[in-house]
Amino acid sequence: MPSPQTVPAAATAVRFLYAAGAGLPSVGPEAAGAALPEAEARVIRAALVRQGADQAQAEALLSELAAGAAAAAEVIAAGEASPLSAEAYDAARAAWLTAHGMSARSGLRTWPPTSQTVRALLGAQYWNDAMTAVGLPASGRGRQRGNTRFSAADYAQAMRDFLAAAGSSAPFAAYAPWAKDEASAGRPRPSGAAVRKQFGSWSAAKAAGAPR
C-alpha cells in the first residue's frame, strides 16, 4: 500500500493548504485544468479512500487539491506569497479534514500530513526549511538551528497522540515502542526520557496530553 507521506505529496499538501488558508481562488491560468502527476495522485488517492472517500469523491478531491496547489504556485512564482506558520498549516489541515468528514486517526497515515511530518520530510526537522523547499518565505517563528529538536507544542501533541492510541492508563514503558513505530511511519517523536524530563513526571506528561 503506497504511503501518502512522500516528499511530493507533502509539498502538495503545503501548497494546497496555503491556498485554502489564504482564500486563493483557483481560477488562474496555472490552476485551470491542473492535475497532479499520476504517481503522486496515486498515493494521495489511496489515502483519501482509506480516510472514507469513495472513488468518485477521491477524484473530485484530487482535482480540488491540484487546483489549489497550482493557485499557490502562481502566487509563489509571482513573489507574492506570505509566510505560513506550522500552527496555521495544522489549523487549515484540521478544517479541511473536518469539512470532508475525515479525521486523523492514530496508526493511519493521514493525508494531508501533520506539520511535524512536513517538517521531517521537507525540512530535516526545520519548519522554515520546509517552507523554503516549497517556495514559501520563512515565517520567522520556526525552530532555529541549534535549539532543541522538539518544541513544547511537539511534546504536548506527542502525549495527546500517544494517549489516544494507547489509552489514558498507558504506562511509561508503553511510550518507547509507540514512539519507535511513529518514527518508522515518518512521524518522529520525543523520547520517553525527554518527555518525562519536559513535564517533570510521567503523571504530569499524561495530564498534559489529556483531552481538554
Side-chain angles (χ1 to χ4, degrees), residues 6 21 33 36 45 56 70 76 100-101 119 125 128 137 143 150 162 170 177 184 188 192 197 210-211:
T6 64
L36 298 176
R45 182 186 299 112
I76 291 169
H100 292 88
R119 194 167 58 214
Q125 302 300 342
N128 283 337
R143 178 172 60 90
F150 298 100
F162 169 70
S184 297
K197 180 178 180 181

Side-chain angles (χ1 to χ4, degrees), residues 63-145:
S63 294
E64 174 189 336
L65 303 177
E74 289 184 50
V75 173
I76 291 169
E80 298 173 353
S82 56
L84 175 67
S85 69
E87 293 80 7
Y89 172 90
D90 281 329
R93 173 182 182 267
W96 188 84
L97 288 170
T98 299
H100 292 88
M102 301 178 187
S103 60
R105 300 194 300 274
S106 180
L108 178 67
R109 295 183 178 183
T110 307
W111 195 95
T114 64
S115 62
Q116 189 175 37
T117 298
V118 167
R119 194 167 58 214
L121 288 172
L122 301 179
Q125 302 300 342
Y126 292 91
W127 180 255
N128 283 337
D129 287 2
M131 295 303 95
T132 300
V134 298
L136 291 172
S139 69
R141 299 179 60 187
R143 178 172 60 90
Q144 300 301 308
R145 293 188 177 279

Side-chain angles (χ1 to χ4, degrees), residues 1-6 9 39-40 42-44 46-47 50 109 111 185:
M1 182 178 296
S3 169
Q5 295 180 351
T6 64
E40 183 180 344
R42 187 183 309 119
V43 296
I44 297 176
R50 288 198 302 273
R109 295 183 178 183
W111 195 95

